Coordinates of all heavy atoms in Angstrom, one line a residue:
M1 N 3.7 8.3 -5.2 CA 2.6 7.5 -4.7 C 1.5 7.4 -5.8 O 1.0 6.4 -6.0 CB 2.0 8.2 -3.5 CG 0.8 7.5 -2.9 SD 1.1 5.8 -2.4 CE 2.2 6.0 -1.1
K2 N 1.3 8.5 -6.5 CA 0.3 8.5 -7.6 C 0.7 7.5 -8.7 O -0.1 6.8 -9.2 CB 0.1 9.9 -8.2 CG -0.7 10.8 -7.3 CD -1.0 12.1 -8.0 CE -1.7 13.0 -7.1 NZ -2.0 14.3 -7.8
R3 N 2.0 7.4 -9.0 CA 2.5 6.5 -10.0 C 2.2 5.1 -9.6 O 1.8 4.2 -10.3 CB 3.9 6.7 -10.3 CG 4.5 6.0 -11.5 CD 5.9 6.3 -11.8 NE 6.8 6.0 -10.7 CZ 7.7 6.8 -10.2 NH1 7.9 8.0 -10.7 NH2 8.5 6.4 -9.3
R4 N 2.5 4.8 -8.3 CA 2.2 3.4 -7.8 C 0.7 3.1 -7.9 O 0.3 2.0 -8.3 CB 2.6 3.3 -6.3 CG 4.0 3.1 -6.0 CD 4.2 3.0 -4.5 NE 5.6 2.9 -4.1 CZ 6.2 1.8 -4.0 NH1 5.6 0.6 -4.2 NH2 7.5 1.8 -3.6
L5 N -0.1 4.0 -7.5 CA -1.6 3.8 -7.6 C -2.1 3.6 -9.0 O -3.0 2.8 -9.3 CB -2.3 4.9 -6.8 CG -2.1 5.0 -5.3 CD1 -2.8 6.2 -4.7 CD2 -2.5 3.7 -4.6
K6 N -1.5 4.4 -9.9 CA -1.9 4.2 -11.3 C -1.5 2.8 -11.9 O -2.2 2.2 -12.6 CB -1.4 5.3 -12.2 CG -2.1 6.7 -11.9 CD -1.6 7.7 -12.9 CE -2.3 9.0 -12.6 NZ -3.7 9.0 -13.0
R7 N -0.3 2.4 -11.4 CA 0.1 1.0 -11.8 C -0.8 0.0 -11.3 O -1.2 -1.0 -12.0 CB 1.5 0.8 -11.3 CG 2.2 -0.5 -11.8 CD 3.6 -0.7 -11.4 NE 4.4 0.5 -11.4 CZ 5.1 0.9 -10.4 NH1 5.2 0.3 -9.3 NH2 5.9 2.0 -10.5
I8 N -1.3 0.1 -10.0 CA -2.2 -0.8 -9.4 C -3.5 -0.8 -10.2 O -4.1 -1.8 -10.5 CB -2.5 -0.5 -7.9 CG1 -1.2 -0.8 -7.1 CG2 -3.6 -1.3 -7.4 CD1 -1.2 -0.2 -5.7
E9 N -4.0 0.4 -10.6 CA -5.2 0.6 -11.4 C -5.1 -0.2 -12.7 O -6.0 -0.9 -13.1 CB -5.4 2.1 -11.7 CG -6.7 2.3 -12.5 CD -6.8 3.8 -12.8 OE1 -5.8 4.5 -12.9 OE2 -8.0 4.3 -12.8
G10 N -3.9 -0.1 -13.3 CA -3.7 -0.9 -14.5 C -3.7 -2.4 -14.3 O -4.2 -3.1 -15.1
Q11 N -3.1 -2.8 -13.2 CA -3.2 -4.2 -12.8 C -4.6 -4.7 -12.6 O -4.9 -5.8 -13.1 CB -2.3 -4.5 -11.6 CG -0.8 -4.4 -11.8 CD -0.1 -4.5 -10.5 OE1 -0.4 -3.9 -9.5 NE2 1.0 -5.4 -10.6
V12 N -5.4 -3.9 -12.0 CA -6.8 -4.3 -11.8 C -7.5 -4.4 -13.1 O -8.3 -5.3 -13.3 CB -7.5 -3.3 -10.8 CG1 -9.0 -3.6 -10.7 CG2 -6.9 -3.4 -9.4
R13 N -7.3 -3.5 -14.0 CA -7.9 -3.5 -15.3 C -7.4 -4.8 -16.0 O -8.2 -5.5 -16.7 CB -7.5 -2.3 -16.2 CG -8.4 -1.1 -15.9 CD -8.3 -0.1 -17.0 NE -8.0 1.2 -16.3 CZ -6.8 1.7 -16.3 NH1 -5.8 1.2 -17.0 NH2 -6.6 2.9 -15.7
G14 N -6.2 -5.2 -15.8 CA -5.7 -6.4 -16.4 C -6.4 -7.6 -15.9 O -6.7 -8.6 -16.6
V15 N -6.7 -7.6 -14.6 CA -7.4 -8.8 -14.0 C -8.8 -8.8 -14.6 O -9.3 -9.9 -14.9 CB -7.5 -8.6 -12.4 CG1 -8.5 -9.6 -11.8 CG2 -6.1 -8.7 -11.8
L16 N -9.5 -7.7 -14.7 CA -10.8 -7.7 -15.3 C -10.7 -8.2 -16.7 O -11.6 -9.0 -17.2 CB -11.4 -6.3 -15.3 CG -11.8 -5.8 -13.9 CD1 -12.1 -4.3 -14.0 CD2 -12.9 -6.6 -13.4
R17 N -9.7 -7.8 -17.5 CA -9.6 -8.3 -18.9 C -9.4 -9.8 -18.9 O -10.0 -10.5 -19.7 CB -8.4 -7.6 -19.6 CG -8.4 -7.9 -21.1 CD -7.2 -7.1 -21.8 NE -5.9 -7.6 -21.3 CZ -5.1 -7.0 -20.5 NH1 -5.4 -5.8 -20.1 NH2 -3.9 -7.5 -20.2
L18 N -8.6 -10.4 -18.0 CA -8.4 -11.8 -17.9 C -9.7 -12.5 -17.7 O -10.0 -13.6 -18.3 CB -7.3 -12.2 -16.8 CG -5.9 -11.8 -17.1 CD1 -5.0 -12.1 -15.8 CD2 -5.3 -12.5 -18.3
M19 N -10.5 -12.0 -16.8 CA -11.7 -12.6 -16.4 C -12.7 -12.5 -17.6 O -13.4 -13.5 -17.9 CB -12.4 -11.9 -15.2 CG -11.6 -12.1 -14.0 SD -12.2 -11.2 -12.5 CE -13.7 -12.0 -12.3
E20 N -12.7 -11.4 -18.3 CA -13.6 -11.2 -19.5 C -13.2 -12.2 -20.6 O -14.0 -12.7 -21.4 CB -13.6 -9.8 -20.0 CG -14.3 -8.8 -19.1 CD -14.0 -7.4 -19.4 OE1 -13.2 -7.1 -20.3 OE2 -14.6 -6.5 -18.7
E21 N -11.9 -12.5 -20.7 CA -11.4 -13.4 -21.7 C -11.5 -14.8 -21.3 O -11.2 -15.7 -22.1 CB -9.9 -13.1 -22.1 CG -9.7 -11.7 -22.7 CD -8.3 -11.3 -22.8 OE1 -7.4 -12.0 -22.4 OE2 -8.0 -10.2 -23.4
G22 N -12.0 -15.1 -20.1 CA -12.2 -16.4 -19.7 C -10.9 -17.2 -19.4 O -10.8 -18.4 -19.5
K23 N -9.9 -16.5 -19.0 CA -8.6 -17.1 -18.7 C -8.7 -18.0 -17.4 O -9.6 -17.8 -16.6 CB -7.5 -16.0 -18.4 CG -7.2 -15.1 -19.6 CD -6.6 -15.9 -20.7 CE -6.3 -15.0 -21.9 NZ -5.6 -15.7 -23.0
P24 N -7.8 -18.9 -17.3 CA -7.8 -19.9 -16.2 C -7.7 -19.1 -14.8 O -7.1 -18.1 -14.7 CB -6.6 -20.8 -16.4 CG -6.3 -20.6 -17.8 CD -6.7 -19.2 -18.2
C25 N -8.3 -19.7 -13.8 CA -8.4 -19.2 -12.5 C -6.9 -18.9 -12.0 O -6.7 -17.9 -11.3 CB -9.1 -20.2 -11.6 SG -9.1 -19.8 -9.8
K26 N -6.0 -19.8 -12.3 CA -4.6 -19.6 -11.8 C -4.0 -18.3 -12.3 O -3.4 -17.6 -11.5 CB -3.8 -20.8 -12.3 CG -2.4 -20.8 -11.8 CD -1.6 -22.0 -12.3 CE -0.2 -22.0 -11.8 NZ 0.6 -23.1 -12.2
E27 N -4.3 -17.9 -13.5 CA -3.8 -16.7 -14.1 C -4.4 -15.5 -13.4 O -3.7 -14.5 -13.0 CB -4.0 -16.6 -15.6 CG -3.1 -17.5 -16.4 CD -3.4 -17.3 -17.9 OE1 -3.5 -16.1 -18.3 OE2 -3.4 -18.3 -18.6
V28 N -5.7 -15.6 -13.1 CA -6.4 -14.5 -12.5 C -5.9 -14.3 -11.0 O -5.6 -13.2 -10.6 CB -7.9 -14.7 -12.5 CG1 -8.7 -13.6 -11.7 CG2 -8.4 -14.7 -13.9
V29 N -5.8 -15.4 -10.3 CA -5.3 -15.4 -8.9 C -3.9 -14.8 -8.9 O -3.6 -14.0 -8.0 CB -5.4 -16.8 -8.3 CG1 -4.8 -16.8 -6.9 CG2 -6.9 -17.1 -8.1
C30 N -3.0 -15.2 -9.8 CA -1.7 -14.7 -9.8 C -1.6 -13.2 -10.0 O -0.9 -12.5 -9.3 CB -0.8 -15.4 -10.9 SG -0.4 -17.1 -10.4
Q31 N -2.5 -12.7 -10.8 CA -2.5 -11.3 -11.1 C -3.1 -10.5 -9.9 O -2.7 -9.5 -9.5 CB -3.3 -10.9 -12.3 CG -2.6 -11.3 -13.6 CD -1.2 -10.6 -13.7 OE1 -1.1 -9.4 -13.4 NE2 -0.2 -11.4 -13.9
L32 N -4.1 -11.2 -9.2 CA -4.7 -10.6 -8.0 C -3.7 -10.5 -6.9 O -3.6 -9.5 -6.1 CB -5.9 -11.4 -7.6 CG -7.2 -11.1 -8.3 CD1 -8.3 -12.1 -7.9 CD2 -7.7 -9.7 -8.1
S33 N -2.8 -11.5 -6.8 CA -1.8 -11.5 -5.8 C -0.8 -10.4 -6.1 O -0.3 -9.7 -5.2 CB -1.0 -12.9 -5.9 OG 0.1 -12.9 -5.0
A34 N -0.5 -10.1 -7.4 CA 0.4 -9.0 -7.7 C -0.3 -7.7 -7.3 O 0.4 -6.8 -6.8 CB 0.7 -9.0 -9.2
V35 N -1.6 -7.5 -7.5 CA -2.3 -6.3 -7.1 C -2.2 -6.1 -5.6 O -1.9 -5.1 -5.1 CB -3.8 -6.4 -7.5 CG1 -4.6 -5.3 -6.9 CG2 -3.9 -6.3 -9.1
R36 N -2.4 -7.2 -4.8 CA -2.4 -7.2 -3.4 C -1.0 -6.7 -2.9 O -0.8 -5.9 -2.0 CB -2.8 -8.5 -2.8 CG -2.7 -8.5 -1.2 CD -3.1 -9.8 -0.6 NE -2.2 -10.8 -1.1 CZ -2.5 -12.1 -1.1 NH1 -3.6 -12.5 -0.6 NH2 -1.6 -13.0 -1.5
N37 N 0.1 -7.3 -3.5 CA 1.4 -7.0 -3.1 C 1.7 -5.5 -3.4 O 2.4 -4.8 -2.6 CB 2.4 -7.9 -3.8 CG 2.4 -9.3 -3.3 OD1 2.0 -9.6 -2.2 ND2 2.8 -10.2 -4.1
A38 N 1.3 -5.0 -4.6 CA 1.5 -3.6 -4.9 C 0.8 -2.7 -3.9 O 1.3 -1.7 -3.5 CB 1.1 -3.4 -6.4
A39 N -0.4 -3.1 -3.6 CA -1.2 -2.3 -2.6 C -0.5 -2.3 -1.3 O -0.5 -1.2 -0.6 CB -2.7 -2.8 -2.5
D40 N 0.0 -3.4 -0.8 CA 0.7 -3.5 0.5 C 1.9 -2.6 0.5 O 2.1 -1.8 1.4 CB 1.1 -4.9 0.8 CG 0.0 -5.8 1.2 OD1 -1.1 -5.3 1.5 OD2 0.2 -7.1 1.2
K41 N 2.6 -2.6 -0.6 CA 3.8 -1.7 -0.7 C 3.4 -0.2 -0.7 O 4.1 0.6 -0.1 CB 4.6 -2.0 -2.0 CG 5.4 -3.4 -1.8 CD 6.1 -3.7 -3.1 CE 6.8 -5.0 -3.0 NZ 7.5 -5.4 -4.2
A42 N 2.3 0.1 -1.4 CA 1.9 1.5 -1.4 C 1.4 1.9 0.0 O 1.8 3.0 0.4 CB 0.7 1.6 -2.4
M43 N 0.7 1.0 0.7 CA 0.3 1.4 2.1 C 1.6 1.6 3.0 O 1.6 2.5 3.7 CB -0.6 0.3 2.7 CG -2.0 0.3 2.2 SD -3.1 -0.8 3.0 CE -2.4 -2.4 2.6
A44 N 2.5 0.7 2.8 CA 3.7 0.8 3.7 C 4.5 2.1 3.4 O 4.9 2.8 4.3 CB 4.7 -0.4 3.4
Q45 N 4.6 2.5 2.1 CA 5.2 3.7 1.7 C 4.5 4.9 2.3 O 5.1 5.8 2.9 CB 5.3 3.8 0.2 CG 6.0 5.1 -0.2 CD 6.1 5.3 -1.7 OE1 5.7 4.4 -2.5 NE2 6.5 6.5 -2.1
M46 N 3.2 4.9 2.2 CA 2.4 6.0 2.7 C 2.5 6.2 4.2 O 2.8 7.3 4.7 CB 0.9 5.8 2.4 CG 0.0 7.0 2.8 SD -1.6 6.8 2.2 CE -1.4 7.2 0.5
V47 N 2.5 5.0 4.9 CA 2.6 5.1 6.4 C 4.1 5.6 6.8 O 4.2 6.4 7.7 CB 2.3 3.7 7.0 CG1 2.7 3.7 8.5 CG2 0.9 3.4 6.9
A48 N 5.1 5.1 6.1 CA 6.4 5.4 6.4 C 6.7 6.9 6.1 O 7.3 7.6 7.0 CB 7.4 4.6 5.5
E49 N 6.2 7.4 5.0 CA 6.4 8.9 4.8 C 5.6 9.7 5.8 O 6.2 10.7 6.3 CB 5.9 9.2 3.3 CG 6.8 8.7 2.3 CD 6.3 8.9 0.9 OE1 5.2 9.5 0.7 OE2 6.9 8.4 -0.1
N50 N 4.4 9.3 6.1 CA 3.6 10.1 7.1 C 4.3 10.0 8.5 O 4.4 11.0 9.2 CB 2.2 9.5 7.2 CG 1.4 10.3 8.2 OD1 1.2 11.5 8.0 ND2 0.9 9.7 9.2
L51 N 4.8 8.8 8.8 CA 5.5 8.6 10.1 C 6.7 9.5 10.2 O 6.9 10.1 11.3 CB 5.8 7.1 10.3 CG 6.6 6.8 11.6 CD1 5.7 7.2 12.8 CD2 6.9 5.3 11.6
Q52 N 7.5 9.5 9.2 CA 8.7 10.4 9.2 C 8.3 11.8 9.5 O 9.0 12.5 10.3 CB 9.4 10.2 7.8 CG 10.7 11.0 7.8 CD 11.4 10.8 6.4 OE1 10.8 10.5 5.4 NE2 12.7 11.0 6.4
Q53 N 7.3 12.3 8.8 CA 6.9 13.7 9.0 C 6.4 13.9 10.4 O 6.7 14.9 11.1 CB 5.8 14.1 8.0 CG 5.4 15.5 8.1 CD 6.5 16.5 7.8 OE1 7.3 16.3 7.0 NE2 6.5 17.6 8.6
C54 N 5.6 13.0 10.9 CA 5.0 13.1 12.3 C 6.2 13.1 13.3 O 6.1 13.8 14.3 CB 4.0 12.0 12.5 SG 2.5 12.2 11.6
I55 N 7.1 12.2 13.1 CA 8.3 12.1 14.1 C 9.0 13.4 14.1 O 9.4 13.9 15.2 CB 9.2 10.9 13.7 CG1 8.5 9.6 14.1 CG2 10.5 11.1 14.4 CD1 9.3 8.4 13.7
L56 N 9.3 14.0 12.9 CA 10.0 15.3 12.9 C 9.2 16.4 13.7 O 9.8 17.1 14.5 CB 10.3 15.7 11.5 CG 11.3 14.9 10.7 CD1 11.3 15.4 9.2 CD2 12.7 15.0 11.3
E57 N 7.9 16.4 13.5 CA 7.1 17.4 14.1 C 7.1 17.2 15.6 O 7.2 18.1 16.4 CB 5.7 17.4 13.6 CG 5.6 17.9 12.2 CD 4.2 17.7 11.5 OE1 3.3 17.2 12.2 OE2 4.1 18.0 10.3
E58 N 7.0 15.9 16.0 CA 6.9 15.5 17.5 C 8.3 15.9 18.1 O 8.3 16.4 19.3 CB 6.6 14.1 17.6 CG 6.2 13.7 19.0 CD 4.9 14.2 19.5 OE1 4.0 14.6 18.7 OE2 4.7 14.3 20.7
Q59 N 9.4 15.6 17.5 CA 10.7 15.9 18.0 C 10.9 17.4 18.2 O 11.4 17.9 19.2 CB 11.8 15.4 17.1 CG 11.9 13.9 17.2 CD 13.0 13.3 16.3 OE1 13.2 13.9 15.2 NE2 13.5 12.2 16.6
E60 N 10.3 18.2 17.3 CA 10.4 19.7 17.4 C 9.7 20.1 18.6 O 10.1 21.1 19.3 CB 9.9 20.3 16.2 CG 10.8 20.2 14.9 CD 10.1 20.8 13.7 OE1 9.0 21.3 13.8 OE2 10.8 20.7 12.6
Q61 N 8.6 19.4 19.0 CA 7.8 19.8 20.1 C 8.3 19.1 21.4 O 7.7 19.4 22.5 CB 6.3 19.5 19.9 CG 5.7 20.2 18.7 CD 4.3 19.7 18.4 OE1 3.8 18.8 19.1 NE2 3.8 20.2 17.3
G62 N 9.3 18.3 21.3 CA 9.9 17.6 22.5 C 9.0 16.5 23.0 O 9.1 16.1 24.1
G63 N 8.2 15.9 22.1 CA 7.3 14.9 22.5 C 7.9 13.5 22.4 O 9.0 13.3 21.9
D64 N 7.1 12.5 22.7 CA 7.5 11.1 22.7 C 7.1 10.5 21.3 O 6.0 10.4 20.9 CB 6.7 10.3 23.8 CG 7.1 8.8 23.7 OD1 8.1 8.4 23.2 OD2 6.2 8.0 24.2
T65 N 8.2 10.1 20.6 CA 8.0 9.6 19.2 C 7.6 8.1 19.3 O 7.2 7.5 18.3 CB 9.2 9.8 18.4 OG1 10.3 9.2 19.0 CG2 9.5 11.3 18.2
G66 N 7.9 7.4 20.4 CA 7.6 6.0 20.5 C 6.2 5.6 20.2 O 5.8 4.6 19.6
K67 N 5.3 6.5 20.7 CA 3.9 6.3 20.5 C 3.5 6.4 19.1 O 2.7 5.6 18.6 CB 3.1 7.3 21.3 CG 1.6 7.2 21.3 CD 0.8 8.2 22.1 CE -0.7 8.0 21.9 NZ -1.4 9.1 22.5
L68 N 4.1 7.3 18.3 CA 3.8 7.4 16.9 C 4.2 6.2 16.2 O 3.5 5.7 15.3 CB 4.6 8.6 16.3 CG 4.1 10.0 16.8 CD1 5.1 11.1 16.3 CD2 2.7 10.3 16.4
V69 N 5.4 5.6 16.5 CA 5.9 4.4 15.8 C 4.9 3.2 16.1 O 4.5 2.5 15.2 CB 7.3 4.1 16.3 CG1 7.7 2.7 15.8 CG2 8.3 5.1 15.8
Q70 N 4.5 3.1 17.4 CA 3.6 2.1 17.8 C 2.2 2.2 17.0 O 1.7 1.2 16.5 CB 3.3 2.1 19.3 CG 2.4 1.0 19.8 CD 2.9 -0.4 19.5 OE1 4.2 -0.6 19.6 NE2 2.1 -1.3 19.2
E71 N 1.7 3.4 16.9 CA 0.5 3.6 16.1 C 0.6 3.2 14.7 O -0.3 2.6 14.1 CB 0.1 5.1 16.2 CG -0.5 5.5 17.6 CD -0.7 6.9 17.7 OE1 -0.5 7.7 16.8 OE2 -1.3 7.4 18.8
A72 N 1.8 3.5 14.1 CA 2.0 3.2 12.7 C 2.1 1.7 12.5 O 1.5 1.1 11.6 CB 3.3 3.8 12.2
V73 N 2.7 1.0 13.4 CA 2.8 -0.5 13.4 C 1.4 -1.1 13.5 O 1.0 -2.0 12.8 CB 3.8 -1.0 14.5 CG1 3.6 -2.5 14.6 CG2 5.2 -0.6 14.2
E74 N 0.6 -0.6 14.4 CA -0.7 -1.1 14.6 C -1.6 -0.8 13.4 O -2.4 -1.7 13.0 CB -1.4 -0.4 15.9 CG -0.8 -0.9 17.2 CD -1.3 -0.1 18.4 OE1 -2.1 0.8 18.2 OE2 -0.8 -0.3 19.5
L75 N -1.4 0.3 12.8 CA -2.1 0.6 11.5 C -1.8 -0.4 10.4 O -2.7 -1.0 9.8 CB -1.8 2.0 11.1 CG -2.5 2.4 9.7 CD1 -4.0 2.4 9.9 CD2 -2.0 3.8 9.3
L76 N -0.5 -0.7 10.3 CA -0.1 -1.7 9.2 C -0.6 -3.1 9.6 O -1.1 -3.8 8.7 CB 1.4 -1.7 9.1 CG 2.0 -0.4 8.4 CD1 3.5 -0.5 8.5 CD2 1.5 -0.3 7.0
V77 N -0.6 -3.5 10.8 CA -1.1 -4.8 11.2 C -2.6 -4.9 11.0 O -3.1 -5.9 10.5 CB -0.7 -5.1 12.7 CG1 -1.4 -6.3 13.2 CG2 0.8 -5.3 12.8
K78 N -3.3 -3.8 11.4 CA -4.7 -3.8 11.3 C -5.2 -3.9 9.8 O -6.1 -4.6 9.5 CB -5.3 -2.6 11.9 CG -6.8 -2.4 11.9 CD -7.2 -1.1 12.5 CE -8.7 -0.9 12.3 NZ -9.2 0.4 12.9
C79 N -4.5 -3.2 9.0 CA -4.9 -3.2 7.6 C -4.4 -4.4 6.8 O -4.8 -4.5 5.6 CB -4.3 -1.9 6.9 SG -5.0 -0.4 7.5
R80 N -3.7 -5.2 7.4 CA -3.2 -6.4 6.7 C -4.2 -7.5 6.9 O -4.9 -8.2 6.7 CB -1.8 -6.9 7.2 CG -1.3 -8.0 6.5 CD -0.9 -7.6 5.0 NE -0.3 -8.8 4.4 CZ -0.8 -9.3 3.3 NH1 -1.8 -8.8 2.7 NH2 -0.2 -10.3 2.7

């Protein structure tokens, strides 16, 4: 996860550099789109890993895992 976030950080620095160099809007927007996609993937990975852990814990306690899945889906939809 940290590696993903550091890559995103580098992409954001790249966007700033493009802006400072006065590059065309199209180039800046394309790089911003790459940043957004990378952030979306990082969020999905974080939710998936957390969900997996929560499901294991809930199963050990004999609870309902369906609610956890629904909450994870709602979180991803809300953050998009």
Side-chain angles (χ1 to χ4, degrees):
M1 181 58 67
K2 286 183 180 181
R3 189 173 64 229
R4 279 183 186 266
L5 294 176
K6 287 187 182 289
R7 189 176 318 128
I8 293 169
E9 180 182 33
Q11 289 175 311
V12 170
R13 276 196 236 105
V15 170
L16 290 169
R17 188 177 68 254
L18 290 174
M19 293 174 69
E20 290 168 356
E21 294 172 356
K23 297 293 182 178
C25 175
K26 184 177 179 179
E27 287 183 41
V28 175
V29 170
C30 284
Q31 287 303 312
L32 283 172
S33 178
V35 170
R36 179 180 58 200
N37 289 336
D40 285 346
K41 288 179 182 178
M43 283 188 293
Q45 179 184 353
M46 183 173 287
V47 170
E49 289 175 4
N50 183 61
L51 178 59
Q52 184 178 23
Q53 182 62 36
C54 289
I55 285 175
L56 291 175
E57 290 172 4
E58 192 69 20
Q59 286 175 335
E60 287 175 3
Q61 298 172 4
D64 178 24
T65 59
K67 182 179 176 185
L68 293 172
V69 172
Q70 182 62 34
E71 288 174 355
V73 169
E74 289 172 4
L75 177 62
L76 287 173
V77 169
K78 180 181 174 182
C79 292
R80 186 66 179 123

